[in-house]
Structures are given as C-alpha cells and as structure tokens.
Amino acid sequence: MKRTHLAAALVAVLALSACSTKANNSGSPGSDSSGVKTGKGVTAAEVTLGVMTDKSGVFKNLGLGVTQGNELWAKDFNAAGGVCGRQVKLEEVDHGYKADTAKTLYPQIEPKVLGFVQLLGSPVVAALKQNLATDKAVAAPASWSSELLDNPYVMIVGTTYDLEMIDGLSYLQEQGLIKDGDTIGHVYIDGEYGKNGLRGSQFYAKKHSLTVKEVKITSTDSDLTNVVTGLKGAGVKAIALTTTPAQTGSAVAANKALGLNVPVLGNNPTFDPALLKSPAAGALDKLTVVASSVPFSADLPKAKDVAAKFKAAYKETPNGGVPYGYAVGEVWGAVLKKACDNKDLTRDGIAAALKQTTSASTDNLVAALDFSKPGTPATRQVYAATPDASAEGGVKYVKPLFEAPEAKEYVAPHQK
Amino acid sequence: MSEVDTESEPVAAPRPRRGPASLVRKAAWLALLVVLLALPLYLDAAWLKAGQYMMIGAVGAIGLTLVVGQAGQLSLAHAFFLLAGGTAYTVLSGPIGDDRVVGFGLDPGLSLLGAVVVAALLGLAFAPVAGRLRGIYLGVASLALVFLGLYFGQSAEELTGGTSTGRAPAPFSLFGFPFTDDGPEITLLGVPIRQAERMWYLFLLLTVLAFVIARGAVRGRVGRSWRAVRDNEAAAAVMGVSVMRAKAGAFAVSSAYGGLAGAMTVLWFDILKPDESEFGTYGINVSIAYLAMVIIGGLGSVPGALVGALIVNGLPQVLALYSADLGWFSGTGDGALTPVLVSSFVYGAAIILVVLFEPGGLAALGRRLTRLRRQPPEEP
C-alpha cells in the first residue's frame, strides 16, 4: 500500500464530485397539439411497449415465439397507421427466466415504456408484481394463473389454467372418456402454474363426484414412470397434467408402456412441438391439450395470415407462442386505440381504457376478451387440440372455441 | 470461544500492521466508503438495484467465509438460512389478522433483528451435526437443509405464502422513516432520494456492519479459536479451546449472516416466494454461488468475500444491463452467448484458475502484490 493509492482514491472522489449528478429526466407529462395527454413511453412520433422475455433460459423457445409474434403484430399495426399518429416501437430485454435479473432490468426499461406487451415467466411476474402496481404499468404476462388477477394492471390474454382444466375435463366427459363417479389422476408441479390447474380439476370433480388422485411433483422431476404406476394402481380413468413438456413426454410414454392407455389431458404449457421428435412421440395420441390461443397451424384465416408472415420473416421453428404473441399485440392495439379515443395515452389512460375493453377481438386467435371485471378471467373459452406431427406447429385442433357450462359457474380466486 | 486465554502465537492470524502503511490502508477504506456513499447521486435506479444485489451477496459471503474459511466447516446450507431469515422477517413484520398468512405486526427494524436471531438459532440447532462431521460429509449433511427448506417453503403456506403466490414483506422503515417512495421528500444535490437510493443506503449500512463485525471476530480471540480448531482439533483442545463450542459458534454466526442476507433478499425482491424446485432463489444453485464467492475471494478472507460477491452476484446483473444498453450478447436461441451464460463461464473459469494457481484466492493474490512492492523478490 502506497500513498499513491490514497492520492488516487482522493482524486477519484474529487473527480466524482466534480461531475454533475444524475439529472432528473423523467418525462414530464403533457399534451400534444391535438389534446392527447401523454406521459412515459410516448413521444410525438412513437409509443414504446416493453418486452421482458426469456431468450436464453428454460423457456427460450416459447419466449422467442411470443416475441416474434409481438414483432409481427407491431409491423402490421404500424403499416395500418399506428395509433394517434404514432408508430409502435418494442423495447426488448432478455432476463433468461431469472427473477433477479428481471428485477434489475426493470428499472432500466420501465421509464422508457408505456406498458408491457410481454412479461414472461411466473417467477418474474411475481417479483415485478409490486413494481407494476407502483408504476401503474399495464402488463400482459405470458403466464395464465388466475392468482395474478388481484393486480389491476395485469392483463391476461386468454383464459387461465383452472378454466382450461374445467373445459378440458368437460370435453373428455362429452367424448364419453370419463363419467360421473370415476377416479382421475392429476399430476401437477407445486407452484403457481400447477396449483392453479389443480383448482380447476378439484372444482370439476366436486360437480361430477369424481375422485382426484393428486400427485405433487417439482419442475425438475424428469421420470414420471413411478407416478403413472401409482395412478394405474388407483384405477384412474384419465390423467390430467399440469407439467413441463418433458414431463408430459415421460407421462404419456409410461401411460403406453404400462398398458394403462387412458386419455391424458394437458394445460397449454404441457405441450411443445419438440415432443414429436422425442422418444415419447409414439405415445402422444392419447394426449389432448386445451388452450385459449390457437395452435400455429390453425385453419383460420388470421392464423394462416400470421403463419405466412412468420415464414417470410423468420427461420426458427414456429410454436404456439407466435399466434399468441400476435394476439396479445392485437389486444394492446385495441386498448391503445380506445385510449387514443379518450385522448389519454398516459399510463392511467391505458389502465382506464383496459377496463372499458369489453370485446377485444383477435380474429379468433384467442376468444373474445372482456377486461371490464377486475379479478375475473377475460374469457372462459378454449380450443381442444391433439398432437399431430404432420401439422405445422405440431398440433391440430379437435374442437373449436367452446365454453363448458361448469366453467360459467366457476368462481376464480380473485373474482368479485 | 476459549475458556483459557492462551498466550501462544495464533495459527495463520493476520499480523496487525502499524505505522504509515496501516494509515494508508484506513484512508483507502474510507475513500471507498465515500465513493459508495456518493454513488446514488450518479447511478440510475437499475444500477443501484444491481449494487444492492451485490451487497446481499457480500453479507452472505462474509458469513460463509467465516464458517468455511476460518472454522474449516464446509457448509452447503447457506441458501436454507437465507430462506429462514427471509421468512422470519416477513412473518414478524407481516400484518396481524390476515386470514391467509400469519403475521406478528412487529416494527420492521425489530423484525430484521429477529430474522438474524432466528437464523442463528437454527444454525445452533444444526451445530450438533456440524460438530460431529468434517469436510465433504458435513457438506452433504448440510445440503439436506436446503431440501428441508424446499419442503418447508412449499408446505408451511401460513408462513411463506406458498409457492403459488408467495407473500409480500412489509416495506422497511426505521424509527418511522420509510425506505420507500413515501414519506418526506428528500433531495440531495438536486437528486431526489427515493426508494432505490434509500435502500442503497440501508444495504450499505448493513454491509458495513457485517464487514466490521466479521473483521473484529477474525482478528480477535474468537477467530483464533476457530482457526485453531480448523488446523488441528487435538492441539486446539490441548490449548484450552472448547472444540464443540467453537464449531457451534462459527456455524451460528455464519447462519446469522445468512439470515440477514435472506431478509435483504425479500426486501430486494419485494416478495417472499418459496422455490418450486431445488433450483431458485433459495436453492442449491444459491448455496453453490455463495461457495464460489468464498473460493474466488479466498477462503477465510473477509475482504475477499466482498470481491467474490462482486464477481458472482454482480457480473450477471452488470452484463444484463450492458447488453440491454449496448446490444452485447443479445443472441437468441440455442448456443447463443447470453449475459447469464457468459457470467457462468467467467466465474466457473475463475474458480478453476483460483484452485489451480492461487489456492488462497484473490485475497492471497492481493497480499502477494502488496508484498512484491514492499520488498524486491528474493532469488530462489
């Protein structure tokens, strides 16, 4: 240690105190010439929306698909004239599915954006819950738990895991695969996602006097053979899954290998087209997936349009995230236009416009959405689909949008 | 703690330096503190958030370096004590009468103290195990605590809020002064001191306290007894050190540090959310990250633990912030270099380099460099 160190440190301190402190550069709220109120994330020419996604972690395939869907929507929206004479710009960051990284990136992106068109990952959404409320930023999480709806700034595009399960079980019953009084198994990941799915099957079971054999697993469990063996012993007539795609593969493979061969029902995140190339590919025929957004290959004009645009723009393998990402964009577009009509493009204006949005249409990419009742899922309709290697996106749907009568009666945890 | 004060020369104790060199050293620490105090006036909230995360790492790593480096007990249970401290703070400061979760409605400052005490007691409870095992056996036994924590987090929903929603901790306040955007408007040199800045100062205070106390312990009788036990239990016992007590004390102190880091973690996240699998905020990966900090910094070195925390906790954060700003490592899909990946490589490489070339870690490297300058290298 030398005196030079001391000198250097002191110089550093002096140098620091000589530069100016951070300027107070929060965009001062104002109005433009046409009387539209603006605030954070809105300039005279642009409206900036945030994307906090996972491009490098466990959900990078989904994250990439949703982000590409968002980008396709922004391109179309701007080509159609944008909103209030402004173009939409996306500000994207990658948090790698790590809540701590997201928590640090949030203050960096928050002052630049009006709201978030994508927040991916339930740990991330949970960590940012408080921030969204404090900053009044409307966000669309790529997580469909109805537990999130206690936050008025959370906009879930599509239905929630509990309602997916209710609708799915009613579909199985309608097909004659299960009947009142049967025993069914439900394998779920202990957490936001799994517990929300379980709420749905428990509700349906009560209505139809089913016995639910609950099996709690963690997201890192890879082999479900023993779980399925146990369910076989319990004499289940169907298996419900609220799991990761890899676990779905293991469960359906065991279902076939053990000669159980009962129908398997999965929430929307349980299936990834990659399963069709996995060893479990031959056992996927028993699987039905329920989701509120369409598969990539859906036979709908809008879905075909999005698929064509995707192929023109990107080289990656598409998944269900693409039409979903586009649909979230469409909903944001509807909310932006409403806010523009109200002449209020501030965050408060967006939150108010969201509450007035009673029929956001996405041309059936997602069922029509009603955001006017806080705490209530915006739709209770789902598609049912089965894996199909010949279809692009890996699934074809077996039943178009429908809503089970049981789903109508269901009361979500934060429904008022 | 030894019953009999020994006059013998302690093993590998840092020699207290006097004279001008120590003055310069003190001045350097002081200058560093001044810089840290001034930073909130220059850095944006995102960078302050990253800095706070490094301080959490620093507090936890100081605690771990005491038990692993000074007392020679390999512990992989650090993440468990983080969860314990975080849960204790949230429960003690939580509102009374919530029908979903338990709360005691205590003052947040008291709750923070309570979190430290609860974690220390849990560490003491594990001491009988820690006292009987050594090396890798203790490492594996302590790893069990992380799985215990995972189970506890999932099943004790009244305390932790459960994995599906978690629960929000009470915002921190000290003697009625809130560490949020509310309360009195304070400006310093034209900079409004809001939540990010206030939390920075709070975390800095806690880190400085943790640092000073650890330095005191290492340089005092307590540290001597820990090192004696680490180097040779029989010899330590002969010199009058109670081996069991020294081991238990080291474990309790380290757990207390873990508890403080845990309480800081829930304050930093604004939520206590137990993990859904063994990897997460309180999972194996965190235990290993803390071990990495301690190894990179140099086992047993308190300043080394600070540098280790800077590298292991800071690098991913800083790279993520830079990559968002400058478009570095913004590749996507398989095989892309991302901030998280790059930082894993860097600290993995750092561990290998340390183990191969400088087992004493960065602390030994620092000592060597300062010695090089004080005296010309001797010819072998």
Side-chain angles (χ1 to χ4, degrees), chain B residues 223-262:
Chain B
R224 279 205 301 280
S225 69
W226 286 347
R227 284 188 297 276
V229 168
R230 174 191 70 191
D231 294 335
N232 189 329
E233 284 183 23
V238 168
M239 285 194 294
V241 175
S242 159
V243 174
M244 274 306 195
R245 272 184 62 177
K247 281 187 166 184
F251 220 90
V253 168
S254 147
S255 313
Y257 273 86
L260 179 59

XYZ file of all heavy atoms in Angstrom, chain B residues 223-262:
277
model
N -11.758 -15.590 16.506
C -11.159 -16.033 15.257
C -9.994 -16.973 15.496
O -9.823 -17.961 14.783
N -9.213 -16.655 16.528
C -8.068 -17.519 16.837
C -8.541 -18.922 17.187
O -7.974 -19.916 16.737
C -7.263 -16.940 17.997
C -6.309 -15.839 17.582
C -5.149 -15.722 18.553
N -5.570 -15.445 19.930
C -5.898 -14.226 20.364
N -5.846 -13.200 19.552
N -6.266 -14.036 21.608
N -9.604 -18.992 17.992
C -10.080 -20.325 18.391
C -10.640 -21.080 17.167
O -10.426 -22.275 17.026
C -11.138 -20.213 19.485
O -12.311 -19.639 18.968
N -11.307 -20.350 16.254
C -11.819 -21.007 15.041
C -10.675 -21.590 14.224
O -10.732 -22.725 13.772
C -12.588 -19.999 14.171
C -13.937 -19.638 14.707
C -14.605 -20.275 15.704
C -14.752 -18.552 14.292
N -15.807 -19.646 15.932
C -15.935 -18.584 15.075
C -14.638 -17.548 13.329
C -16.964 -17.672 14.926
C -15.660 -16.634 13.175
C -16.813 -16.682 13.970
N -9.631 -20.799 14.033
C -8.511 -21.260 13.200
C -7.788 -22.418 13.869
O -7.333 -23.343 13.198
C -7.540 -20.103 12.926
C -8.077 -19.128 11.877
C -7.029 -18.121 11.481
N -6.621 -17.280 12.597
C -7.270 -16.182 12.997
N -8.349 -15.800 12.345
N -6.849 -15.473 14.013
N -7.706 -22.365 15.209
C -7.057 -23.462 15.918
C -7.819 -24.764 15.676
O -7.224 -25.810 15.388
C -6.998 -23.145 17.410
N -9.138 -24.685 15.762
C -9.972 -25.868 15.537
C -9.831 -26.345 14.095
O -9.764 -27.542 13.822
C -11.443 -25.547 15.867
C -12.360 -26.657 15.377
C -11.606 -25.337 17.362
N -9.756 -25.387 13.167
C -9.635 -25.739 11.760
C -8.335 -26.511 11.497
O -8.324 -27.517 10.796
C -9.643 -24.456 10.921
C -9.382 -24.689 9.435
C -9.139 -23.383 8.700
N -7.866 -22.793 9.075
C -7.492 -21.551 8.757
N -8.326 -20.770 8.097
N -6.322 -21.080 9.123
N -7.235 -26.021 12.108
C -5.934 -26.585 11.769
C -5.668 -27.897 12.479
O -5.082 -28.808 11.902
C -4.832 -25.569 12.071
C -4.955 -24.361 11.156
O -5.520 -24.520 10.059
O -4.500 -23.269 11.543
N -6.048 -27.988 13.738
C -5.814 -29.242 14.447
C -6.683 -29.279 15.700
O -6.417 -28.577 16.672
C -4.341 -29.356 14.822
C -4.029 -30.739 15.364
O -4.883 -31.376 15.983
N -2.807 -31.199 15.142
N -7.708 -30.105 15.680
C -8.658 -30.118 16.787
C -8.005 -30.551 18.091
O -8.268 -29.986 19.150
C -9.841 -31.038 16.460
C -10.813 -30.399 15.490
C -12.021 -31.265 15.199
O -12.356 -32.126 16.024
O -12.629 -31.069 14.133
N -7.112 -31.540 17.985
C -6.470 -32.041 19.209
C -5.620 -30.948 19.842
O -5.701 -30.694 21.049
C -5.625 -33.264 18.884
N -4.839 -30.289 19.010
C -3.979 -29.234 19.532
C -4.825 -28.105 20.116
O -4.491 -27.536 21.163
C -3.083 -28.700 18.416
N -5.921 -27.792 19.445
C -6.781 -26.723 19.940
C -7.331 -27.084 21.311
O -7.348 -26.258 22.229
C -7.927 -26.485 18.952
N -7.743 -28.340 21.458
C -8.294 -28.781 22.743
C -7.237 -28.698 23.833
O -7.509 -28.273 24.959
C -8.827 -30.206 22.620
N -5.996 -29.088 23.495
C -4.906 -29.025 24.462
C -4.679 -27.585 24.920
O -4.415 -27.306 26.081
C -3.617 -29.612 23.839
C -2.400 -29.286 24.703
C -3.770 -31.112 23.674
N -4.824 -26.655 23.957
C -4.609 -25.241 24.303
C -5.793 -24.637 25.045
O -5.789 -23.458 25.370
C -4.350 -24.434 23.034
C -2.949 -24.685 22.487
S -2.486 -23.482 21.275
C -3.604 -23.821 19.967
N -6.819 -25.451 25.275
C -7.918 -24.960 26.077
C -9.081 -24.402 25.277
O -9.963 -23.762 25.822
N -9.067 -24.648 23.966
C -10.214 -24.216 23.165
C -11.278 -25.306 23.233
O -10.986 -26.482 23.026
C -9.790 -23.999 21.697
C -11.006 -23.669 20.846
C -8.756 -22.904 21.601
N -12.511 -24.913 23.538
C -13.584 -25.899 23.514
C -13.999 -26.111 22.059
O -14.613 -25.242 21.442
C -14.766 -25.394 24.341
O -15.921 -26.063 23.956
N -13.640 -27.281 21.526
C -13.826 -27.526 20.093
C -15.297 -27.446 19.702
O -15.675 -26.785 18.732
C -13.241 -28.914 19.721
C -13.549 -29.255 18.277
C -11.741 -28.918 19.948
N -16.126 -28.112 20.485
C -17.558 -28.111 20.174
C -18.127 -26.698 20.160
O -18.892 -26.335 19.287
C -18.311 -28.948 21.215
C -18.349 -30.422 20.871
S -19.021 -30.676 19.223
C -19.386 -32.391 19.246
N -17.728 -25.920 21.172
C -18.281 -24.569 21.263
C -17.790 -23.701 20.107
O -18.551 -22.901 19.559
C -17.894 -23.929 22.594
C -18.904 -24.251 23.677
C -18.579 -23.552 24.956
N -18.621 -22.091 24.813
C -18.413 -21.280 25.841
N -18.148 -21.766 27.025
N -18.470 -19.982 25.675
N -16.535 -23.864 19.744
C -16.009 -23.067 18.640
C -16.751 -23.395 17.348
O -17.132 -22.510 16.584
C -14.513 -23.328 18.476
N -16.969 -24.699 17.130
C -17.668 -25.115 15.907
C -19.106 -24.602 15.884
O -19.579 -24.065 14.885
C -17.672 -26.643 15.817
C -16.362 -27.232 15.313
C -16.533 -28.713 15.093
C -15.378 -29.260 14.267
N -15.581 -30.684 13.967
N -19.787 -24.775 17.008
C -21.181 -24.338 17.081
C -21.265 -22.827 16.902
O -22.141 -22.313 16.192
C -21.798 -24.744 18.415
N -20.325 -22.112 17.539
C -20.328 -20.653 17.437
C -20.134 -20.210 16.000
O -20.849 -19.328 15.507
N -19.180 -20.833 15.314
C -18.915 -20.459 13.927
C -20.144 -20.703 13.067
O -20.524 -19.867 12.237
C -17.734 -21.261 13.390
N -20.798 -21.840 13.292
C -21.974 -22.158 12.490
C -23.109 -21.173 12.759
O -23.802 -20.728 11.841
C -22.440 -23.592 12.771
C -22.878 -24.296 11.529
C -21.959 -25.022 10.786
C -24.185 -24.209 11.077
C -22.351 -25.646 9.608
C -24.577 -24.829 9.912
C -23.667 -25.557 9.165
N -23.297 -20.819 14.032
C -24.375 -19.902 14.387
C -24.121 -18.521 13.789
O -25.033 -17.882 13.257
C -24.522 -19.823 15.901
N -22.879 -18.059 13.884
C -22.559 -16.732 13.350
C -22.785 -16.702 11.843
O -23.408 -15.782 11.290
C -21.090 -16.362 13.678
C -20.658 -15.140 12.891
C -20.949 -16.101 15.166
N -22.315 -17.748 11.176
C -22.489 -17.812 9.722
C -23.978 -17.855 9.345
O -24.409 -17.209 8.394
C -21.753 -19.037 9.189
O -22.412 -19.582 8.104
N -24.769 -18.595 10.125
C -26.205 -18.663 9.859
C -26.865 -17.310 10.055
O -27.759 -16.929 9.304
C -26.881 -19.662 10.789
O -26.151 -20.848 10.818
N -26.415 -16.589 11.080
C -26.975 -15.267 11.341
C -26.733 -14.359 10.130
O -27.632 -13.626 9.699
C -26.339 -14.667 12.588
N -25.540 -14.433 9.578
C -25.241 -13.669 8.370
C -26.149 -14.096 7.216
O -26.665 -13.268 6.469
C -23.771 -13.862 7.971
C -22.827 -12.891 8.635
C -22.299 -13.152 9.894
C -22.462 -11.726 7.994
C -21.440 -12.264 10.509
C -21.590 -10.826 8.595
C -21.084 -11.099 9.844
O -20.238 -10.205 10.431
N -26.330 -15.403 7.091
C -27.238 -15.908 6.062
C -28.646 -15.369 6.253
O -29.311 -14.985 5.293
N -29.094 -15.330 7.502
C -30.425 -14.819 7.801
C -30.571 -13.358 7.408
O -31.592 -12.950 6.843
N -29.530 -12.575 7.696
C -29.568 -11.157 7.318
C -29.631 -11.026 5.795
O -30.432 -10.249 5.259
C -28.332 -10.425 7.866
C -28.228 -8.946 7.517
C -29.439 -8.185 8.026
C -26.959 -8.322 8.099
N -28.811 -11.819 5.111
C -28.824 -11.779 3.644
C -30.204 -12.188 3.123
O -30.686 -11.639 2.126
C -27.754 -12.698 3.076
N -30.860 -13.136 3.805
C -32.194 -13.571 3.391
C -33.222 -12.471 3.551
O -34.055 -12.236 2.668
